[in-house]
Amino acid sequence: MNISQRRKIAVSAASVAALVVAAFAASIIGSTAVGLADIIALLTGGEIADTSRNILVNVRLPRVAAALLAGSALAVAGVIIQGVLDNPLASPNIIGINSGAGFFVLLAASLFPHLFWLPQIAAFIGALVSAAFIFAIAMGAKTSRLTVVLAGIAITAIFGAGMNTILIVDPAAYVASSTFLVGGFHSGTRFEQLIGPAITILPGVLLAIFFASKLNIMALGDQTAHSLGMHVARSRLLLLTLASFLAGAAVSIAGLLGFVGLIVPHLVRFFVGPDNRIVTPLSAIVGAMFVVACDMLARVMFAPYEIQVGIIMAFLGGPFFIYLILKNRRGLGGLNE
Amino acid sequence: MNRRSFHHPKWTPDYAAPAVQLDKLTFSYGKKEFVQEFSESFERGSITSIVGPNGCGKSTLVKLMDGLLRAQSGKALIEGVDTHIMTSRQRARRMAVLAQAARPPAMTVYDLVACGRYPYHGHQGRLNPEDKEKIEEAIALAGIERFRDHDLRQMSGGERQKAFIAMVLAQDTSVVVLDEPTTYLDIKACHDLMGLITRLNTEMGKTIIMVIHDLDLALRYSGRMLVMEKGSNVLHGSIEEILDSGALEKVFNMKIELHHSREGEAAHVLFPH
């Protein structure tokens, strides 16, 4: 099956258009309506009512930006992890990054409940700590693919046990971090909080696109990649480090959203084939679009109640994913199966 | 010049040196020595089959040649330069290794062949006109033009192996090492593939070293043979020398006789004891 260049361009253009539409829609739609004209006025320095400006700058836009960042980071981390581990089931949560972040957030919420800014930092640290554990184990076992997956499962179990222990000893910790554990965004997100994640995610996504051809070489297996002049263990470590920084930064702003990293890369491969040089940038776009759109739905579907985006994502993404599986019986997405 | 210097020197091939030379290689996976003081050299422009019973260290030898494994002592030289002194890319421009068939990757034939150019370009994998030319040449020589846009996973084993050979060709090396290239192929595909491998030698002058299970194919298509047993070098020589020595009979515990068909075609027939 040949996926023509024209199709790749068409899919890319459609994704960018959908991303722009979703971002604008998410900025406008909400409990207080803001017009498209207001956004344009804000962006171009035109006249805008104070209430509209206030809503856009302090409520909507930071949240849209948070969703864009988290969505692209998780999707790209998913592409990398699936490629490096040669495992279509892999996603950031399978190598233990989510559970590490979750444990540290609960720990922070339990020990220092009054430090409202701490959980975000704790999430990032937790993600990196669990990644470091996995690397240490994998290095000891010469970074074979299976050891990384198995180490991830073990780390997930250990941190999961830690999380349950905290929840039993200090149930109040859950209240402070319920949105985090389900995965979602706060209305109170401010631009300042996004600076740290943004300076991790934006260069990280660019680096991932830059290294995407390495993922193609890795798909040939270790021996062939070595024969082609790749430093296999070093490249695997480099790419996994990149993926854990991306996932850690995403988790710190969006909580434990696991699904994006799994389904977005498959969705993209379904349309444009397995070449990572196109799958990586396109996953960044589609991941951002998907999370922004789902977050908008999460805000308005049951208004005045807001549900977490993680819930919407599972409700919408789950059935859609099953549809893709059934439609493409040869195996999803073009990874080896 | 056998230290790894800060800026990697461009090693110029030593044309007097053999294509591949193994110098007292000793390697063990665990405590027990698996390959012991193994010395051998493979001349330029030869086709050599490495044969031996299962588990005698044939594939290990291949991995030692291209530096995937590091010997506890001794060294492997490609065109006179130690495998571990060169950078991976420098090594990959001299020796291409076709690994044993594994799960086919999700890739088109063209994209696979393009991977052969990896040692020549940077991280981004942009193909320059020279790369494209080499890719086209490789696809043409392997005779797989009509499969260029096919998904490897949907191809027959024989055609897929030709695509891998084309990748190795695009790598543009003087030495090509193949580890069990005919595994899982039917008899017709085996002969097609061996024909193609022979052409890499006769038309392009590449040195071919292959690990091969099928003695019939090895006797038919290679000029030289290296017989191994339990990690040691039993005998290395021309096919005639090997047959005259009786080394194969001893190692594999079978009888080999030359037979002629009515049309006068000769073939070696193997009889189990």
Side-chain angles (χ1 to χ4, degrees):
Chain A
M1 184 179 61
N2 175 26
I3 290 132
S4 70
Q5 215 62 29
R6 198 192 287 169
R7 182 169 176 187
K8 288 178 184 171
I9 293 167
V11 172
S12 308
S15 308
V16 171
L19 174 65
V20 172
V21 170
F24 271 103
S27 309
I28 294 168
I29 298 167
S31 53
T32 309
V34 177
L36 190 59
D38 290 324
I39 296 190
I40 292 165
L42 183 72
L43 295 177
T44 57
E47 260 187 40
I48 176 171
D50 278 349
T51 39
S52 300
R53 171 191 286 273
N54 197 17
I55 288 172
L56 279 175
V57 173
N58 292 324
V59 182
R60 300 273 165 78
L61 293 183
R63 186 156 172 173
V64 168
L68 292 173
L69 285 170
S72 59
L74 287 169
V76 169
V79 172
I80 295 174
I81 292 168
Q82 286 171 9
V84 170
L85 302 184
D86 191 25
N87 186 337
L89 289 176
S91 64
N93 44 348
I94 208 165
I95 59 171
I97 288 178
N98 275 8
S99 63
F103 174 73
F104 274 68
V105 164
L106 281 179
L107 199 63
S110 173
L111 294 179
F112 308 101
H114 51 286
L115 298 179
F116 64 94
W117 47 267
L118 189 61
Q120 191 187 359
I121 295 167
F124 192 67
I125 294 171
L128 294 186
V129 165
S130 52
F133 269 124
I134 291 158
F135 293 152
I137 297 166
M139 287 288 271
K142 295 196 174 153
T143 47
S144 95
R145 292 165 165 150
L146 194 59
T147 42
V148 179
V149 174
L150 292 176
I153 290 171
I155 296 281
T156 302
I158 295 165
F159 281 126
M163 284 163 81
N164 286 330
T165 308
I166 294 175
L167 288 175
I168 288 167
V169 175
D170 181 11
Y174 177 76
V175 181
S177 47
S178 59
T179 302
F180 179 88
L181 293 175
V182 181
F185 301 93
H186 294 282
S187 295
T189 308
R190 297 214 312 278
F191 275 125
E192 301 90 272
Q193 291 171 293
L194 299 178
I195 293 171
I199 58 177
T200 311
I201 290 170
L202 296 176
V205 167
L206 290 178
L207 266 181
I209 294 169
F210 186 69
F211 287 135
S213 68
K214 274 187 187 287
L215 288 176
N216 285 355
I217 301 289
M218 277 187 183
L220 301 176
D222 289 2
Q223 197 180 353
T224 304
H226 172 86
S227 153
L228 287 168
M230 175 182 274
H231 249 286
V232 179
R234 194 190 290 171
S235 300
R236 186 174 287 151
L237 204 61
L238 172 87
L239 286 163
L240 282 179
T241 306
L242 183 56
S244 34
F245 270 94
L246 282 171
V251 167
S252 77
I253 46 180
L256 304 184
L257 284 181
F259 213 40
V260 195
L262 175 67
I263 68 168
V264 169
H266 283 295
L267 178 67
V268 169
R269 282 188 212 106
F270 179 76
F271 286 108
V272 298
D275 187 345
N276 288 298
R277 287 168 301 180
I278 178 139
V279 170
T280 311
L282 209 49
S283 291
I285 293 167
V286 174
M289 187 269 287
F290 185 60
V291 175
V292 166
C294 286
D295 186 48
M296 177 183 71
L297 290 176
R299 284 190 290 119
V300 301
M301 260 175 89
F302 298 99
Y305 301 105
E306 227 179 71
I307 58 175
Q308 276 97 1
V309 64
I311 297 172
I312 291 285
M313 227 171 249
F315 271 136
L316 287 181
F320 183 62
F321 197 50
I322 292 169
Y323 164 76
L324 282 185
I325 292 167
L326 292 176
K327 196 171 169 196
N328 189 14
R329 289 194 200 157
R330 275 192 175 280
L332 247 189
L335 267 186
N336 300 322
E337 62 277 335
Chain B
M1 280 246 294
N2 41 19
R3 257 181 332 116
R4 182 190 270 257
S5 58
F6 181 69
H7 61 282
H8 299 295
K10 281 199 168 174
W11 299 102
T12 42
D14 175 358
Y15 290 106
V20 176
Q21 191 177 356
L22 308 178
D23 185 16
K24 291 184 185 157
L25 280 179
T26 297
F27 177 80
S28 58
Y29 283 105
K31 277 188 182 152
K32 198 164 163 286
E33 284 186 353
F34 192 60
V35 172
Q36 300 153 33
E37 299 236 335
F38 199 103
S39 293
E40 196 50 73
S41 59
F42 299 87
E43 293 310 314
R44 281 166 193 279
S46 58
I47 301 189
T48 311
S49 285
I50 304 177
V51 299
N54 282 335
C56 71
K58 303 185 293 279
S59 294
T60 303
L61 205 61
V62 168
K63 288 172 184 162
L64 288 168
M65 274 182 211
D66 88 327
L68 186 61
L69 295 176
R70 200 178 267 272
Q72 275 83 21
S73 67
K75 53 190 173 178
L77 307 157
I78 306 173
E79 293 173 331
V81 184
D82 190 329
T83 312
H84 288 291
I85 292 178
M86 291 182 271
T87 64
S88 337
R89 277 170 196 249
Q90 285 169 343
R91 188 201 62 241
R93 293 177 194 192
R94 292 167 175 229
M95 178 192 272
V97 179
L98 180 61
Q100 271 182 52
R103 288 185 307 169
M107 217 177 259
T108 64
V109 168
Y110 187 90
D111 287 342
L112 176 73
V113 180
C115 286
R117 300 304 295 168
Y118 184 79
Y120 298 90
H121 47 61
H123 293 293
Q124 270 188 303
R126 287 262 162 75
L127 300 171
N128 64 31
E130 193 197 342
D131 292 327
K132 287 181 181 158
E133 199 178 308
K134 296 279 184 195
I135 294 167
E136 293 304 331
E137 280 174 22
I139 289 178
L141 195 106
I144 47 169
E145 292 95 333
R146 66 205 161 95
F147 297 111
R148 130 195 334 261
D149 293 323
H150 285 225
D151 186 327
L152 288 165
R153 294 169 302 169
Q154 293 165 23
M155 291 166 68
S156 73
E159 305 301 350
R160 193 189 295 146
Q161 262 322 60
K162 284 185 189 170
F164 274 99
I165 298 273
M167 176 190 80
V168 161
L169 262 176
Q171 208 175 326
D172 198 19
T173 58
S174 54
V175 185
V176 173
V177 181
L178 307 123
D179 195 354
E180 305 270 11
T182 58
T183 312
Y184 306 129
L185 300 190
D186 63 48
I187 184 85
K188 171 79 167 62
C190 280
H191 287 288
D192 276 359
L193 194 77
M194 295 307 284
L196 174 60
I197 292 168
T198 312
R199 286 173 59 208
L200 303 189
N201 176 261
T202 53
E203 290 175 25
M204 310 184 72
K206 293 182 189 298
T207 308
I208 309 282
I209 299 170
M210 56 189 168
V211 168
I212 195 155
H213 248 342
D214 189 319
L215 280 181
D216 176 60
L217 291 178
L219 290 167
R220 240 179 243 271
Y221 291 100
S222 42
R224 300 179 67 78
M225 202 177 252
L226 166 60
V227 184
M228 283 182 75
E229 191 177 31
K230 292 177 189 156
S232 307
N233 187 344
V234 174
L235 189 65
H236 182 195
S238 68
I239 298 293
E240 292 75 29
E241 288 164 349
I242 296 289
L243 287 172
D244 289 346
S245 72
L248 288 174
E249 277 96 333
K250 181 178 144 283
V251 166
F252 288 100
N253 191 24
M254 50 179 12
K255 202 167 69 175
I256 301 178
E257 282 178 15
L258 188 63
H259 278 251
H260 289 87
S261 71
R262 276 185 210 137
E263 290 79 22
E265 284 177 295
H268 296 281
V269 184
L270 314 169
F271 300 97
H273 268 304

